[in-house]
Amino acid sequence: MPRPPAGTPNARDKLLDAALSVIRAKGYSATSVDDLCAAAGVTKGAFFHHFRSKEALAVVAADHWSETTGGLFASAAYHRQTDPLDRVLGYVDFRRSLIAGEVCEFTCLVGTMVQEAYDAHPDIAAACGRSIFGHARTLEADIAEAMERRGMAGGGWTAAGLARHTQAVLQGAFILAKAGGGPDAAVEQIDHLKRYITLLFEARPGEGLPS
Amino acid sequence: MPRPPAGTPNARDKLLDAALSVIRAKGYSATSVDDLCAAAGVTKGAFFHHFRSKEALAVVAADHWSETTGGLFASAAYHRQTDPLDRVLGYVDFRRSLIAGEVCEFTCLVGTMVQEAYDAHPDIAAACGRSIFGHARTLEADIAEAMERRGMAGGGWTAAGLARHTQAVLQGAFILAKAGGGPDAAVEQIDHLKRYITLLFEARPGEGLPS
DNA sequence: TACAACATACCGACTAGTTGGTATGTATTT
DNA sequence: AAATACATACCAACTAGTCGGTATGTTGTA
């Protein structure tokens, strides 16, 4: 692939960026190819030059979402905490701070898409799954270290499981926000999540089980 | 309204029942009126005789969902527990027992619809909100009674807030199931929810605050 | 009881517009 | 020259919704 002038955003990038906001607001099915082209300021020819189909764009958009958000979290300040539990709680606080403004601005592209696509579009669903579970996996090491430091093994839960739970609560928070609760309803869920993690690490690990 | 033979399901009821399963599997936007008519075994004429529009059907379907599921929970056995906390945990166990089989069989119609409809279809979003928050409200009395019996006031959370949190975790659980986790991922979330509620009621309420 | 007047429930062809996708063109860069 | 990166024009299938019509009531009245 020959390098374009590298400063001007090409049609492909403009379409992907447009997809993030348009699909988050309208959903995958209700977003037409023309909608995406209009939002990106490109023509249909450009669309089908870069993507085999609307479904193919959705898959790439999900990966694009993973990279974009992945970069945001990777460079966030909570990683600098020395206590691994503080890093986990710092992640939760950071997620909380992101919830503001219009609902479509803080909700999750892949959570929205997988609801519509899981049955009819397996490729999209798989891309969304990679994004959600891949992001959860970035939390595992800190949770596992916090568990080890406090001797938490044997409580009936795992680092991977708790990491997945954080994502479930976040996705549920977005649904409640969309159902009329707004940002407040979403923040409330994150506060419960933080309280849960705090309680988990305060509680004594399971008595009858070896650590 | 004159009573029809009362045993034969009419087109309206058949369409509403079809909507519950078809929209849960395909989503609202991807479900066409023809899809619904075919699933219900009725014609398009019957559809628009009973519903002004596809959007109007979705609103009635959301209310129909509330009634159907409402009846299921109202008649469940966990209400017979004498300890209010046991009733709350019994509700969680009951939700856990419902998660089995295909994803489209245990997921939530209104959670699916509101994701697509919250922006473009306010009437549908409002109906979904009534369903979710209305169902949450049915848990409030038991939670409040459990809080009172154990002197839990002042911990920074309320009965209504915890009730909403149960619904957020459930909705998030469905998304993770759709993202490839299957029933196991959903059950895992409910186990975390139960552990959270248990820990909450074991913890001592906030020290510096009056009860 | 008989008949007119009206209402409800439903049918299926039809339409105007939209959909994802294609075919073919042109300008720019290497 | 040749590939890339777009643009324009177009199409067949599908979309929600309409409309004229029918079959089967129900209701009022003489």
Side-chain angles (χ1 to χ4, degrees):
Chain A
M1 202 178 291
R3 210 170 315 156
T8 54
N10 56 8
R12 187 186 141 97
D13 292 338
K14 284 193 282 183
L15 279 165
L16 285 175
D17 286 337
L20 298 197
S21 53
V22 177
I23 296 179
R24 272 199 289 172
K26 305 183 62 169
Y28 171 73
S29 299
T31 298
S32 70
V33 174
D34 284 333
D35 286 338
L36 291 169
C37 292
V42 305
T43 61
K44 230 166 173 180
F47 184 103
F48 286 99
H49 172 72
H50 290 289
F51 304 101
R52 260 185 306 103
S53 63
K54 181 186 167 186
E55 185 176 10
L57 169 122
V59 171
V60 180
D63 292 338
H64 182 55
W65 174 258
S66 302
E67 287 161 28
T68 304
T69 59
L72 179 69
F73 292 112
S75 65
Y78 62 83
H79 291 290
R80 289 202 287 271
Q81 300 280 344
T82 51
D83 187 330
L85 182 56
D86 286 340
R87 291 198 292 274
V88 175
L89 295 174
Y91 166 79
V92 176
D93 287 334
F94 185 58
R95 294 301 306 245
R96 189 184 197 277
S97 75
L98 294 177
I99 302 200
E102 287 302 306
V103 168
C104 65
E105 291 168 2
F106 61 77
T107 49
C108 174
L109 173 78
V110 293
T112 302
M113 276 207 299
V114 77
Q115 284 258 29
E116 298 178 67
Y118 81 99
D119 196 45
H121 305 282
D123 292 349
I124 298 177
C128 295
R130 282 197 301 277
S131 182
I132 292 175
F133 292 112
H135 181 64
R137 238 169 276 130
T138 66
L139 306 172
E140 269 184 45
D142 284 341
I143 297 175
E145 200 183 327
M147 289 173 71
E148 203 176 339
R149 197 174 282 206
R150 284 170 176 77
M152 298 302 297
W157 54 278
T158 64
L162 182 58
R164 284 190 291 269
H165 186 61
T166 62
Q167 301 311 297
V169 172
L170 285 161
Q171 295 295 341
F174 298 149
I175 292 194
L176 263 59
K178 288 181 178 177
D184 292 351
V187 166
E188 182 182 56
Q189 306 318 314
I190 298 184
D191 287 341
H192 277 289
L193 174 63
K194 186 174 181 182
R195 191 177 292 112
Y196 175 48
I197 297 173
T198 304
L199 284 171
L200 261 185
F201 280 91
E202 281 174 3
R204 295 277 12 105
E207 273 93 52
L209 289 146
S211 67
Chain B
M1 204 179 288
R3 209 173 313 158
T8 55
N10 56 9
R12 189 186 138 96
D13 293 338
K14 285 192 282 185
L15 280 165
L16 285 175
D17 286 337
L20 299 196
S21 52
V22 177
I23 295 179
R24 271 199 290 173
K26 305 184 63 170
Y28 170 73
S29 298
T31 298
S32 70
V33 173
D34 283 334
D35 287 338
L36 291 168
C37 293
V42 304
T43 61
K44 224 165 177 182
F47 185 102
F48 286 99
H49 173 72
H50 291 289
F51 304 101
R52 258 186 306 103
S53 63
K54 182 186 166 186
E55 186 176 9
L57 169 121
V59 171
V60 180
D63 292 338
H64 182 55
W65 174 258
S66 302
E67 285 161 28
T68 303
T69 58
L72 180 68
F73 291 112
S75 65
Y78 62 82
H79 291 290
R80 289 202 287 271
Q81 301 280 344
T82 50
D83 188 330
L85 180 57
D86 286 339
R87 291 198 292 276
V88 175
L89 296 173
Y91 167 79
V92 176
D93 287 335
F94 184 58
R95 293 300 306 243
R96 191 185 197 276
S97 74
L98 294 177
I99 302 199
E102 288 302 307
V103 169
C104 65
E105 292 168 2
F106 61 78
T107 48
C108 175
L109 173 77
V110 293
T112 301
M113 277 207 298
V114 77
Q115 283 257 30
E116 299 178 66
Y118 81 99
D119 197 45
H121 304 281
D123 291 350
I124 298 177
C128 295
R130 283 197 301 275
S131 183
I132 293 175
F133 292 111
H135 181 64
R137 239 168 274 131
T138 66
L139 305 172
E140 269 185 45
D142 284 342
I143 296 175
E145 199 182 327
M147 289 173 73
E148 205 176 339
R149 197 175 282 205
R150 285 169 177 77
M152 298 302 297
W157 53 278
T158 63
L162 183 58
R164 284 189 291 269
H165 186 60
T166 63
Q167 301 311 296
V169 172
L170 285 161
Q171 295 295 341
F174 297 149
I175 291 194
L176 263 60
K178 287 181 179 177
D184 293 350
V187 166
E188 183 182 55
Q189 306 319 314
I190 298 185
D191 288 341
H192 276 290
L193 174 62
K194 186 174 181 181
R195 190 177 295 109
Y196 175 47
I197 297 174
T198 304
L199 284 172
L200 261 186
F201 280 92
E202 281 174 2
R204 296 274 16 102
E207 274 92 52
L209 291 145
S211 66

